[in-house]
Amino acid sequence: MEHPKAEIPPGKPATQVDALGRKVWDKSYYAKVAENKAGGQSGSVEQSIATLLPDPLRKPVFAVPEVRENLKRRKETVDVTKDVGKVRVINALTHKSQQGGFYCKVCDCLLKDSQAYMDHLNGRKHNRMLGMTMRVEKVDAKTVAEALRRRVMQQSVSKHAVEELHRDAQERIKELEAEEREMKQRRKMNKKGKQDTKSGKIKKEEVQEATNDRQPDATEELMRSMGLPTNFVQSTK
């Protein structure tokens, strides 16, 4: 089935100026042109107006879901500090998503500060593009009580896990302290043993030197001549 050919309203748009001498667009004329191009369908007027604009000024028209749900909690985590300290080289042809700022791919818009970005994510336009309204789901007291009960159970489980972890850490610390004390005692005993061995060796050397320095008497001379030992102290080599 062929659509009727779009008819342009006769005449030209009225040329008007405001109090400052600036040109004012004839909105009624261009609205009729857009409506004629859309075939009388009011839902496509916005798309038709976009086709009348030059390419650099043409904005993409996003399809909004007809059936929208209630407002839901955001599942993904928004990190506004992921690009802090990074340097980018941009030019006139760089896409919005690669320019400096915060880019929303759902709405194809670029915001320059984190506060405006968060306001946009929580605003009506963004949630409308996601298929949600700004109304929250109404629940009864029973559902709220069940949610609070689950929350308390999760907190109790996490608290028990933290206590168990703290107890294990304390036991491990005690074991490490006992091992350290035992190691210190072992080093102390080894050091003491070395000192005792050194002092005993010194005493034996002193006894040997005293024995060697002592003048032999007649009995020792006689025993030495007979091949008998004259000193019963063991010599250390």
Side-chain angles (χ1 to χ4, degrees), residues 105-199:
K105 62 181 180 180
V106 178
C107 305
D108 190 27
C109 62
L110 182 68
L111 300 107
K112 294 299 183 180
D113 61 275
S114 58
Q115 184 64 41
Y117 181 62
M118 295 304 300
D119 291 342
H120 170 75
L121 294 182
N122 298 327
R124 184 184 301 275
K125 179 182 177 182
H126 181 78
N127 288 285
R128 181 168 176 262
M129 298 301 297
L130 293 177
M132 293 186 295
T133 63
M134 299 303 291
R135 300 185 184 90
V136 295
E137 182 182 0
K138 294 182 179 180
V139 295
D140 53 0
K142 185 177 180 180
T143 306
V144 175
E146 184 65 24
L148 292 175
R149 190 179 298 108
R150 289 196 302 268
R151 183 69 175 176
V152 171
M153 291 180 62
Q154 291 177 359
Q155 290 180 353
S156 62
V157 171
S158 60
K159 184 178 180 181
H160 179 71
V162 170
E163 291 178 354
E164 188 70 20
L165 183 62
H166 182 70
R167 192 180 303 108
D168 294 342
Q170 292 295 333
E171 293 178 358
R172 181 58 180 166
I173 290 173
K174 290 180 180 179
E175 292 178 359
L176 292 175
E177 290 178 351
E179 291 178 0
E180 186 176 0
R181 287 195 299 269
E182 185 179 356
M183 189 177 297
K184 287 183 178 180
Q185 187 70 18
R186 192 181 298 113
R187 286 199 297 264
K188 186 176 180 180
M189 294 297 294
N190 293 337
K191 185 176 180 180
K192 185 177 180 181
K194 290 181 180 180
Q195 291 178 354
D196 293 343
T197 304
K198 186 176 181 180
S199 60

Side-chain angles (χ1 to χ4, degrees), residues 217-228 230:
D217 54 3
T219 305
E220 290 182 358
E221 290 290 342
L222 179 61
M223 293 179 66
R224 188 177 294 110
S225 62
M226 295 175 63
L228 297 176
T230 60

Side-chain angles (χ1 to χ4, degrees), residues 12-160:
K12 295 182 179 180
T15 303
Q16 300 177 359
V17 293
D18 58 4
L20 299 177
R22 296 175 299 187
K23 183 178 179 180
V24 179
W25 294 96
D26 190 355
K27 296 182 180 180
S28 60
Y29 174 82
Y30 288 106
K32 291 180 181 179
V33 172
E35 187 176 356
N36 291 335
K37 284 195 173 185
Q41 299 178 2
S42 59
S44 302
V45 172
E46 184 178 358
Q47 180 69 30
S48 300
I49 293 176
T51 57
L52 296 176
L53 297 174
D55 290 340
L57 301 179
R58 184 176 300 174
K59 295 182 180 180
V61 179
F62 298 97
V64 180
E66 296 181 359
V67 180
R68 291 185 288 169
E69 302 176 348
N70 292 327
L71 189 63
K72 295 181 179 180
R73 179 182 178 183
R74 184 168 47 245
K75 296 181 180 179
E76 65 275 4
T77 303
V78 180
D79 186 10
V80 296
T81 61
K82 61 180 181 179
D83 293 333
V84 174
K86 295 182 180 179
V87 179
R88 292 179 180 176
V89 179
I90 62 175
N91 52 30
L93 301 178
T94 304
H95 192 262
K96 289 182 180 180
S97 59
Q98 301 299 325
Q99 296 180 8
F102 301 90
Y103 175 72
C104 177
K105 62 181 180 180
V106 178
C107 305
D108 190 27
C109 62
L110 182 68
L111 300 107
K112 294 299 183 180
D113 61 275
S114 58
Q115 184 64 41
Y117 181 62
M118 295 304 300
D119 291 342
H120 170 75
L121 294 182
N122 298 327
R124 184 184 301 275
K125 179 182 177 182
H126 181 78
N127 288 285
R128 181 168 176 262
M129 298 301 297
L130 293 177
M132 293 186 295
T133 63
M134 299 303 291
R135 300 185 184 90
V136 295
E137 182 182 0
K138 294 182 179 180
V139 295
D140 53 0
K142 185 177 180 180
T143 306
V144 175
E146 184 65 24
L148 292 175
R149 190 179 298 108
R150 289 196 302 268
R151 183 69 175 176
V152 171
M153 291 180 62
Q154 291 177 359
Q155 290 180 353
S156 62
V157 171
S158 60
K159 184 178 180 181
H160 179 71

